[in-house]
Structure formats: C-alpha cells, structure tokens
Amino acid sequence: TQLLEQSPQFLSIQEGENLTVYCNSSSVFSSLQWYRQEPGEGPVLLVTVVTGGEVKKLKRLTFQFGDARKDSSLHITAAQPGDTGLYLCAGGAQVDYKLSFGAGTTVTVRA
Amino acid sequence: DAMVIQNPRYQVTQFGKPVTLSCSQTLNHNVMYWYQQKSSQAPKLLFHYYDKDFNNEADTPDNFQSRRPNTSFCFLDIRSPGLGDAAMYLCATSGSLAGGSQYFGPGTRLLVL
C-alpha cells in the first residue's frame, strides 16, 4: 500500500476565511479522490482527479492534482460552517482495487 | 437513487456475543469493501470482494469474517466482539476499474458492552 501524507491534521478557521489541505506521496497514483465525512456518517465522495495537472472546481472548492500525479490539494474559498468535517484524500493505483488513505484533516469553521 | 445502504446504523452488543452487520448496494458494482474506522482516523480496510473472489487484509483479525451471497449484499460477521472492536464500520463499493473511486454507505456504529 502506498503512503499518503495529509496536512495539516487539524484546521480551525473563522467563517469567510480560506483554507488549503495538502496530500503528498512519493508514489504515483492513477487517480486521487477527496472525501468529506461528517460525524456519525460515511465519507462522501467530493471529486476524483485522474490527469496530472488537472484542476476541478465544485462551487467554493478547488481540487488540483499535481503534474506528476503524486500530490493533490483542496482549497476552500470563503469557508462556511457547513464545510466543517473530516477531509480525506485517497489514492488509487491500477494494480489493485484498494485505495491508500491519508490520515485525514479535521476542519472546523467557526461562525 | 443508486446508493449503498447499511443496517443497522447503530448496534449494541455484549462482549463475546456474535454480531452481523449488513450492507446492500443498488449501484451494481463488482467490488464491495468493509472498513473499520475509529475516532476521526482514516478508514482501515478489513477485506474486499471482487464479485465472489474474497480478499483478506493480512492484519485483519480472524474474529472478522465476511459473506457475499450475491452482487447486492455483503455481510460482516464479528464472531466474538471485544471492547477494542467498538468502532464505525463502513461498507463501500466500486466498479470494475482498478484504482477507481469508492462509494461509501452511512456506516454502522458498533458499541461493545
């Protein structure tokens, strides 16, 4: 299983501020997923990126896949309390059906 | 809507008393997974099925077993739950593309008394 390092582990910001979460690896992935998980619920898939250098936008969320497909970032603009949750990145390789998960970033947006 | 369903959402069992958690999917996906997740940590893969082909993780305790009677259903059996098995159990599915996205159910929170 390939290692994904996610940072920061915790992030607490005021409503309206911006934030960025990073996901880094020394391994190449064929795909990179970002999930958000709220307390007591399962992770919800936000986006999948598959092409090096790819940028995807989902309302106030911007996801980027590194050119070498080893790293990714999630940027939230003007965060809202509804963005609070555990953000997980997960990388897939075409060798098997498993995902390698980052340790997660707990984001708290204060009203 | 196509989805992954887990029942029950909350399960309380006694130390050593067998328990079964269930998962069903309407996505018609080939692969089904069971994960264990503890307090805001990343999910830990226990095992997965590609169709009926069972794949166990090397560090999954023998106490955990699984059954997949058909494409739609998958069960997690915990034969003798210990206090350390209290966790959120997540079921997920994915299509036939290796390394593809996984879709999670809402989870079952297991409490062991």
Side-chain angles (χ1 to χ4, degrees):
Chain A
T1 302
Q2 300 147 298
L3 187 64
L4 266 171
E5 295 182 355
Q6 195 171 335
S7 63
Q9 187 177 359
F10 298 97
L11 199 54
S12 180
I13 60 170
Q14 200 70 30
E15 182 176 5
E17 294 181 338
N18 303 330
L19 68 94
T20 303
V21 179
Y22 300 93
C23 191
N24 297 292
S25 176
S26 58
S27 303
V28 176
F29 292 99
S30 60
S31 69
L32 199 294
Q33 287 82 32
W34 284 94
Y35 294 87
R36 178 170 65 217
Q37 184 177 21
E38 298 186 13
E41 299 293 331
V44 174
L45 180 65
L46 297 174
V47 78
T48 299
V49 286
V50 298
T51 304
E54 183 176 5
V55 177
K56 281 192 174 180
K57 293 193 174 185
L58 183 67
K59 297 182 180 178
R60 294 175 293 100
L61 278 61
T62 301
F63 305 86
Q64 186 161 9
F65 201 13
D67 291 341
R69 291 184 290 134
K70 293 181 178 181
D71 55 87
S72 181
S73 64
L74 157 62
H75 182 79
I76 301 179
T77 303
Q80 298 176 0
D83 296 324
T84 292
L86 176 67
Y87 287 81
L88 294 160
C89 65
Q94 289 180 331
V95 295
D96 59 30
Y97 295 91
K98 298 190 282 190
L99 293 179
S100 298
F101 280 87
T105 298
T106 299
V107 172
T108 303
V109 182
R110 305 184 304 274
Chain B
D1 287 342
M3 54 198 305
V4 181
I5 301 162
Q6 289 189 246
N7 287 303
R9 293 294 314 275
Y10 300 93
Q11 177 73 58
V12 181
T13 190
Q14 292 179 333
F15 183 92
K17 185 174 181 181
V19 66
T20 295
L21 310 181
S22 72
C23 176
S24 64
Q25 54 128 343
T26 60
L27 297 160
N28 202 32
H29 279 166
N30 295 96
V31 194
M32 293 188 77
Y33 308 80
W34 280 105
Y35 288 89
Q36 180 191 68
Q37 187 181 32
K38 296 187 176 182
S39 58
S40 295
Q41 298 177 15
K44 179 180 182 299
L45 183 63
L46 296 173
F47 23 62
H48 73 279
Y49 280 91
Y50 186 100
D51 292 332
K52 285 193 174 290
D53 183 21
F54 177 71
N55 298 272
N56 196 34
E57 292 301 294
D59 58 354
T60 297
D62 292 339
N63 198 25
F64 292 86
Q65 304 286 320
S66 185
R67 297 168 283 135
R68 189 179 185 186
N70 54 52
T71 300
S72 301
F73 286 88
C74 197
F75 300 97
L76 170 62
D77 301 309
I78 308 177
R79 293 193 296 186
S80 182
L83 297 178
D85 296 327
M88 173 74 93
Y89 289 89
L90 296 164
C91 175
T93 73
S94 69
S96 57
L97 180 66
S101 304
Q102 293 182 15
Y103 298 86
F104 285 84
T108 295
R109 170 73 65 186
L110 178 68
L111 179 62
V112 182
L113 300 179

